[in-house]
Amino acid sequence: ITSNMLATVNTVAMGEALMIAKRTGVDLEQFWHAIRYSAGNTFVWETEAPLVFNGTYDTEFAVELQCKDMKLGNDLCQQYQIPTPMHTLAQQIYNTAQYQYGKDAPSTIPVKLVEDALNEPLQVPKKFDEWSYSIDTSGNKVTVIHKFGEEN
């Protein structure tokens, strides 16, 4: 549950960061690479920004399930009297996304709320259409291996 709590806050922040980059004229692909090599990098950034870029948002995890996990996390925090203002805001955004796009929408769909509010898509034409990734866990580390097009 706590992992998904972190992921939701990261997803919401990712959408905002991508829109800041786009609106200020920064190339989204270059921005994605720059963040990958910075302190702001996360697993969500590595694996979900490309799903925004290709327009699928498809993590193979429905927003309904993400909202359920967020509610469980909120219930846990209430039980132990832990204030979670970031999680609470992310939960509100996820609930809005579920109401707007449906319970079966993918869990990265809250990013689309920002796109729709500004009528500004965050897709990167063609480059990420056939993107995929794998994970290497050798040597006591986790490495995300990105694959594009023919590399798949």
Side-chain angles (χ1 to χ4, degrees), residues 1-14 42-45 48 66 69-70 73 86-87 90 94:
I1 293 172
T2 54
S3 178
N4 278 352
M5 290 170 72
L6 283 168
T8 58
V9 171
N10 276 281
T11 300
V12 170
M14 176 184 70
T42 64
F43 187 79
V44 166
W45 183 266
E48 294 187 27
Q66 193 72 292
D69 285 355
M70 295 176 80
M86 294 280 289
H87 177 261
Y94 264 81

Side-chain angles (χ1 to χ4, degrees), residues 3 9 13 18 20 26 48 60 64 68 73 75 82 95 105-107 110 113 133 136 141 148 152:
S3 178
V9 171
L18 289 171
I20 291 167
V26 177
E48 294 187 27
E60 299 181 7
E64 176 184 41
K68 174 197 62 85
D75 292 349
I82 303 165
N95 286 338
S107 63
L113 289 171
Y133 74 94
D136 178 3
K141 62 181 179 175
F148 296 89
N152 285 329

